[in-house]
């Protein structure tokens, strides 16, 4: 494999092309979206409801339901990033944290790893939201989230992965 060639860079992301020898021996050029990684937080309110955000996403030009999430800053741990993003997007802090694994959202063209967390024992806090984020905080029961996923109202893959994993681990019922 040769050194990657950077084709484009924006903020903390870049497109890089490099030569790869595949397991079958074929030598090919591959373009990868280099991503610093991200976190997703599934917050469980003290009444058992799940805290979600209703966020306008310019890339798809519409509002979606998702759990708070965000991109890692340079030299920031996933845990610290999760705490920061929960504060910024939902104005919440948590006393109890559960790391529930990692997810690879688009491994065919992107090297992003998403670190998933469940946050409990929530309380209010104040933090500055990013200026380009348009967010409304909403609360749903677990059954309401199940229904929204089944009816295709929740389409965000990281949200669905975290919800399923949290259920399988018994962290939400």
């Amino acid at each position: 494999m040769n050194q990657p060639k950077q084709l484009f860079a924006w903020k903390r992301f870049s497109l890089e092309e490099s030569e790869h020898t595949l397991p079958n021996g074929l030598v090919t050029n591959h373009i990868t979206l280099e991503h610093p990684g991200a976190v997703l937080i599934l917050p469980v309110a003290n009444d058992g409801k799940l805290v979600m955000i209703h966020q306008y996403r310019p890339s798809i030009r519409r509002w979606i339901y998702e759990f708070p999430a965000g991109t890692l800053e340079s030299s920031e741990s996933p845990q610290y990033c999760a705490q920061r993003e929960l504060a910024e997007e939902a104005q919440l802090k948590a006393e109890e944290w559960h790391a529930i694994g990692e997810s690879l959202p688009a491994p065919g063209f992107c090297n992003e790893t998403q670190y998933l967390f469940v946050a409990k024992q929530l309380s209010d806090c104040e933090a500055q939201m990013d200026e380009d984020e348009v967010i409304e905080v909403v609360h749903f029961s677990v059954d309401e989230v199940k229904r929204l996923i089944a009816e295709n109202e929740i389409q965000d893959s990281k949200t669905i992965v975290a919800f399923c994993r949290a259920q399988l681990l018994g962290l939400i019922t």
Side-chain angles (χ1 to χ4, degrees):
M1 185 169 91
N2 62 356
Q3 279 296 98
K5 175 184 170 189
Q6 188 176 82
L7 303 174
F8 180 78
W10 176 73
K11 294 187 178 183
R12 294 179 307 275
F13 311 96
S14 65
L15 281 178
E16 296 188 2
E17 182 178 31
S18 60
E19 185 178 275
H20 288 271
T21 301
L22 301 177
N24 65 2
L26 178 68
V27 177
T28 184
N29 283 334
H30 186 79
I31 296 175
T32 300
L33 173 59
E34 294 286 327
H35 192 293
V39 299
L40 176 129
I41 308 96
L42 189 163
V44 181
N46 298 336
D47 64 1
K49 289 196 173 184
L50 307 183
V51 180
M52 299 192 79
I53 58 174
H54 195 217
Q55 182 168 6
Y56 183 78
R57 291 295 195 171
S59 294
I60 57 172
R61 296 176 176 81
R62 63 187 175 98
W63 291 83
I64 65 170
Y65 290 108
E66 59 188 302
F67 291 121
T71 303
L72 288 161
E73 301 285 344
S74 54
S75 71
E76 182 178 52
S77 73
Q79 177 75 43
Y80 182 84
C81 182
Q83 293 167 344
R84 177 179 56 76
E85 289 292 344
L86 181 61
E88 288 176 5
E89 294 190 354
Q91 305 294 299
L92 293 170
K93 63 181 179 179
E95 294 300 317
E96 181 182 332
W97 287 89
H98 301 271
I100 61 169
E102 301 167 6
S103 179
L104 303 172
F109 67 88
C110 181
N111 69 352
E112 177 184 10
T113 297
Q114 296 172 341
Y115 302 90
L116 310 175
F117 295 89
V118 171
K120 294 185 173 186
Q121 297 180 28
L122 305 179
S123 59
D124 294 334
C125 73
E126 289 187 28
Q128 185 66 37
M129 189 181 305
D130 292 341
E131 67 180 28
D132 64 345
E133 292 180 318
V134 181
I135 292 173
E136 300 168 349
V137 177
V138 293
H139 293 233
F140 292 115
S141 70
V142 171
D143 284 341
E144 287 171 316
V145 173
K146 283 181 189 177
R147 181 184 56 76
L148 291 169
I149 291 170
E151 294 176 358
N152 205 36
E153 291 295 317
I154 293 176
Q155 297 177 328
D156 180 61
S157 62
K158 66 189 179 304
T159 293
I160 295 168
V161 168
F163 180 81
C164 292
R165 189 160 299 153
Q167 279 206 305
L168 290 169
L169 294 172
L171 293 168
I172 57 174
T173 55

